[in-house]
Amino acid sequence: MTDRVIRPSSLTTWADCGRRWASQHLTAEVEAAGYKLQVQRVTHVGAAIGSGVHAGASYTLEAKRSTGELGNDTEAEQRAVAEFEERAEWGLDWDEASDNVSVAKRQIARMTRSYRRHLAPEIDPIIIEQRLEANIADGWTLSGQMDGTTGDPDTIIRDLKTGTRQRANNIQYGAYGLILHAHGYNVRGLIEDFIPRVKIKDEQPRPHSTEIPLQAAAMDAMETMEDIVRSTAEFERRLLSQTGRAPHSAFRANPGSSLCSPRWCRAWGTDFCTAHRK
């Protein structure tokens, strides 16, 4: 049997709502158990823009690692926009900050320029978006590729985030630290570089860099992953016994979550979750 895979980026979803996590990351198992989930929604514009900016940043760092220079400005922006267009092929879920294709492309271009101006000159790109895996339990693998991993894994590494607001991603970074240590790296610190996505009429803010307390984040990540493994095992046990509590309640729901809505959760309004307010 193929190991189940936990992505470090999914840990913040689990911390917010275990049942939403299961609907996203154990979809096949949940549906095989007889639950019918909501149809997968189209990609949110924020995710598509983030992928575009990361593509521009990746080109920039690869050029710097190869030549010592940042590469061509136009090429970086074109690659960023091309990645966005690929992600947007099947439609996008728009929001107030980015409400059409033209605006999104302009935002991508200026966010890419911000990265190249303020962050790339300070970064030593020893590793760039390298995927690594580690076994965390019987039948479970932790697999991570930081969105924009750069730096020296034996000292300090960095990760790039974008969005309308900076979120708390510490447990995600703690999981990355665990993977790197499992592969023999002695990473001692991690910095999150955040580029805000703001309305096109507003001036593009400078990036903000935040140092992550890696040791504490790693401990929280381990606790979170152990909770995922335990809850999934309990879900399977209840399916086999067919007595006692409902299998889906093995995954705790959080109806107080700001993402508890049909827009963000495939479990919302289904027999897999009725904990939300109607």
Side-chain angles (χ1 to χ4, degrees):
M1 179 177 176
T2 303
D3 280 3
R4 289 190 174 94
V5 175
I6 294 178
R7 308 289 187 193
S9 58
S10 78
L11 297 184
T12 53
T13 299
W14 177 271
D16 183 60
C17 180
R19 210 165 294 174
R20 181 163 62 87
W21 181 94
S23 73
Q24 293 178 1
H25 300 284
L26 291 180
T27 306
E29 289 92 332
V30 169
E31 292 183 332
Y35 294 101
K36 185 174 177 60
L37 299 173
Q38 298 277 10
V39 175
Q40 180 69 50
R41 290 183 60 90
V42 296
T43 302
H44 187 265
V45 63
I49 288 177
S51 295
V53 176
H54 282 107
S58 181
Y59 161 78
T60 300
L61 296 177
E62 289 287 3
K64 186 175 183 181
R65 183 167 62 176
S66 299
T67 69
E69 304 294 332
L70 299 185
N72 183 270
D73 291 338
T74 301
E75 177 74 7
E77 293 176 26
Q78 288 178 342
R79 291 198 182 201
V81 170
E83 180 68 22
F84 166 80
E85 289 174 335
E86 183 176 338
R87 302 284 176 146
E89 182 178 0
W90 304 109
L92 291 173
D93 181 13
W94 304 99
D95 64 15
E96 291 184 3
S98 309
D99 58 5
N100 64 65
V101 170
S102 176
V103 165
K105 289 182 178 180
R106 290 163 63 195
Q107 289 170 321
I108 290 168
R110 71 180 189 176
M111 291 167 74
T112 300
R113 289 194 295 270
S114 178
Y115 180 85
R116 289 169 59 82
R117 177 180 180 183
H118 299 294
L119 293 173
E122 307 300 323
I123 292 175
D124 185 17
I126 295 177
I127 57 173
I128 303 172
E129 296 194 9
Q130 180 179 348
R131 179 167 294 282
L132 297 172
E133 296 184 346
N135 294 326
I136 56 171
D138 186 25
W140 290 86
T141 296
L142 177 63
S143 176
Q145 175 178 306
M146 297 175 70
D147 293 334
T149 314
T150 58
D152 183 348
D154 282 326
T155 54
I156 302 294
I157 57 174
R158 307 175 78 108
D159 191 47
L160 173 63
K161 294 292 187 188
T162 65
T164 55
R165 65 184 180 92
Q166 190 172 15
R167 302 179 185 276
N169 299 304
N170 287 27
I171 54 176
Q172 175 183 352
Y173 296 132
Y176 287 135
L178 292 171
I179 294 176
L180 289 167
H181 277 288
H183 283 264
Y185 294 117
N186 187 33
V187 57
R188 296 193 292 273
L190 191 148
I191 296 173
E192 178 183 271
D193 295 315
F194 177 72
I195 302 179
R197 175 171 63 93
V198 299
K199 292 182 178 181
I200 201 66
K201 67 179 182 179
D202 297 332
E203 182 179 353
Q204 176 65 44
R206 289 176 62 103
H208 177 67
S209 298
T210 304
E211 187 171 353
I212 305 299
L214 200 53
Q215 184 174 1
M219 289 189 290
D220 288 341
M222 183 60 71
E223 295 287 349
T224 303
M225 290 186 289
E226 289 176 350
D227 199 17
I228 289 173
V229 172
R230 282 194 301 267
S231 296
T232 303
E234 178 62 12
F235 174 72
E236 293 175 328
R237 187 193 68 78
R238 294 182 188 184
L239 286 174
L240 290 174
S241 70
Q242 295 297 314
T243 60
R245 288 175 287 179
H248 63 268
S249 63
F251 300 109
R252 288 186 292 277
N254 178 18
S257 168
S258 62
L259 300 180
C260 185
S261 75
R263 183 181 188 185
W264 303 110
C265 182
R266 295 188 65 184
W268 197 97
T270 72
D271 55 354
F272 192 63
C273 187
T274 59
H276 52 81
R277 187 179 67 179
K278 297 182 179 179

